[in-house]
Amino acid sequence: MAITMRKRVEIFIDGLQNDIVTALEQLDPNAPKFKRDAWTRAAGGGRGLSCVFACTPEVGQTTSTLQTKLEKAGVNVSVVHGMLPPAAIKEMRADHSTIPYDGKTSLPFFAAGISLVIHPRSPFDPTVHANYRYFEITEQAGEGEQAGRVVAWWFGGGSDLTPSYLDEEDTKHFHTTLKDACQNDELYSVYKKWCDEYFFIPHRQETRGVGGLFFDDLSDEKHARIPDDVERPRQPEEIFEFISRLGTAFIPSYIPLLQKKRDIPTDHHRRWQLLRRGRYVEFNLVYDRGTKFGLKTPSARIESILMSLPEAARWEYMSELGTLAGSEEERMISVLKNPRNWV
C-alpha cells in the first residue's frame, strides 16, 4: 500500500523537529533541556508535540540568572483533523476553486505542520522563525473508507531572520543557504519578495526583519502570486521535495550564526533588543495570519500559539534609539525600511 502524502509530511516534520531540538540542545549543553509537551486535540482529533525552551526565574525573581545561549524558543509540531465550516471554505475557495461550496455543508480537513521561533539571549544573535505545513480538504468518507476523495491540497511555509543589530555576513549566509535549497533562482526571488511584503509592519513602515522566504497555497492550481512563466514544482511529490529541502536547510542556515563569537553586550544593546522585540510582538498579534487564525479556532492551544512571542519586550514613547545618524541602531532601521537583495 502506497504511503499517503499526509503520512509522508507527518514523518518528515516529526524527524525535522527532533533534529532541530537536538542541534539547539547540543549548542548549549549546560543549559536546561527543552520541555517536551505532547498533547491531543479533543475537538475533531489530532495530536502534537510542543518543544519549548525557557529558564524559569527563581522564587522572588522576574528573570532567570542563568546565562544560556537561548532566552526563549519553541519548536512545535501539530497534526490535526476535523470539520471545516462553510465560512472557512468560502474564504479558501479564493485560492482553491476545486473546493465544493453550497453555503451550508462542512468538509473534512487535515493539517500538519512544524512551526518554530528562536529568541537568543544576546542582542547580537538574531531571532529566527520557520514554518512548513500541508493542508488537505476531502469529501465526506464513504462507508468503509478512512478518508474521502481529496478535493484540494496545498503546502505553505518559509523561514525568516530578525536581528536586532545588522550583521551582513549573517544575513548573506542565511539567504544563500535558502537560495541554494530552492535550486531555482527565479523562484527564490519570488518567495523572497513575498517574504519582505508579508513581514511588513504598516503602522511602523518597516519590515519585521531582514527576510528570507515566504509562500502559501502551493499546489497544481494557477497561483495568484506566481507568474505562469516561472518554473516551479506543481505536483504533490515535487512540492513535498521542495519543502523537505527547505526544512532540512534550517539547521545549516541558522545554527552557524549562534556558534559565532560575539561581543559582550551592554545595557544599551539590551534596551535596543527589547525595543525590537516589541516590534516583533506588534506584527505577530496584529498582522500574522497564523496567529490570528489560531486565536479564532475553537479549542485551540493558546500556549502553543503564543509560543512565538519573546519572553520580554519594551515600548518607549518617542524613543531616540534608531534615530541617531550613523549609529548601529539607525543602520538596522535603514535596512528595515529599505529591504535589500542579499544574494
Side-chain angles (χ1 to χ4, degrees):
M1 182 176 177
I3 186 170
T4 64
M5 184 54 69
R6 292 184 177 195
K7 193 62 181 177
R8 292 192 67 183
V9 172
E10 189 173 348
I11 292 171
F12 173 69
I13 59 178
D14 283 342
L16 182 60
Q17 179 189 42
N18 182 69
D19 290 345
I20 292 172
V21 172
T22 299
L24 291 169
E25 288 182 334
Q26 291 175 345
L27 189 70
D28 193 357
N30 295 322
K33 298 295 185 182
F34 276 67
K35 177 182 179 180
R36 288 150 170 88
D37 178 25
W39 53 268
T40 56
R41 182 172 180 261
R47 57 91 183 174
L49 178 64
S50 297
C51 297
V52 179
F53 178 89
C55 296
T56 305
E58 298 176 1
V59 176
Q61 303 295 317
T62 57
T63 58
S64 172
T65 57
L66 294 176
Q67 292 303 304
T68 52
K69 191 70 175 175
L70 305 182
E71 185 169 52
K72 183 183 177 186
V75 185
N76 295 350
V77 156
S78 65
V79 182
V80 299
H81 51 85
M83 298 300 293
L84 202 62
I89 294 172
K90 182 180 180 181
E91 185 176 339
M92 290 178 176
R93 273 179 56 84
D95 295 301
H96 305 281
S97 59
T98 57
I99 307 173
Y101 172 72
D102 61 10
K104 55 185 179 182
T105 304
S106 297
L107 290 172
F109 80 90
F110 170 88
I114 180 171
S115 181
L116 67 89
V117 177
I118 312 298
H119 294 291
R121 189 171 299 279
S122 170
F124 301 127
D125 284 330
T127 286
V128 73
H129 158 261
N131 176 288
Y132 296 104
R133 56 194 179 273
Y134 174 68
F135 203 94
E136 190 178 277
I137 299 175
T138 69
E139 295 176 339
Q140 290 278 14
E143 186 175 348
E145 293 181 324
Q146 285 190 327
R149 183 179 68 89
V150 176
V151 296
W153 58 270
W154 63 90
F155 291 85
S159 183
D160 61 285
L161 199 67
T162 305
S164 296
Y165 285 94
L166 181 65
D167 184 318
E168 294 196 12
E169 183 181 84
D170 286 357
T171 308
K172 290 176 181 178
H173 170 84
F174 183 78
H175 277 268
T176 298
T177 308
L178 294 183
K179 183 179 181 180
D180 290 346
C182 280
Q183 297 181 4
N184 182 323
D185 292 356
E186 193 172 17
L187 205 55
Y188 162 80
S189 297
V190 171
Y191 294 161
K192 190 268 183 191
K193 183 175 185 291
W194 197 348
C195 185
D196 290 337
E197 293 172 356
Y198 179 79
F199 291 105
F200 181 72
I201 309 174
H203 64 270
R204 297 291 189 182
Q205 288 296 294
E206 63 190 41
T207 56
R208 189 177 74 175
V210 293
L213 299 179
F214 179 87
F215 48 84
D216 203 1
D217 300 305
L218 301 190
S219 69
D220 56 358
E221 297 182 76
K222 182 180 176 65
H223 201 291
R225 295 264 334 191
I226 307 172
D228 291 338
D229 61 347
V230 172
E231 183 179 343
R232 63 181 175 94
R234 294 176 183 270
Q235 298 307 309
E237 291 290 333
E238 296 173 339
I239 304 176
F240 175 71
E241 182 182 341
F242 174 74
I243 293 286
S244 299
R245 290 200 307 270
L246 290 176
T248 304
F250 174 79
I251 291 175
S253 75
Y254 183 64
I255 295 297
L257 309 188
L258 297 184
Q259 293 172 326
K260 291 178 67 173
K261 185 174 178 59
R262 307 286 189 180
D263 293 337
I264 297 174
T266 65
D267 288 343
H268 170 88
H269 299 124
R270 175 63 170 173
R271 178 186 164 203
W272 175 246
Q273 179 193 44
L274 293 180
L275 286 171
R276 294 313 311 168
R277 288 186 172 171
R279 298 289 204 271
Y280 203 94
V281 171
E282 290 173 25
F283 176 85
N284 281 31
L285 293 184
V286 178
Y287 300 110
D288 185 66
R289 292 188 304 179
T291 303
K292 292 166 70 175
F293 177 81
L295 294 176
K296 292 179 182 177
T297 302
S299 303
R301 297 192 84 247
I302 301 302
E303 293 295 330
S304 294
I305 294 168
L306 297 182
M307 171 275 297
S308 64
L309 301 181
E311 183 178 272
R314 183 181 179 90
W315 286 265
E316 295 181 8
Y317 181 76
M318 302 293 285
S319 177
E320 80 286 358
L321 290 185
T323 63
L324 179 63
S327 66
E328 288 299 305
E329 294 79 19
E330 189 269 341
R331 180 167 170 254
M332 184 76 256
I333 289 292
S334 177
V335 168
L336 299 179
K337 290 186 176 295
N338 303 281
R340 295 185 195 172
N341 291 321
W342 295 101
V343 293

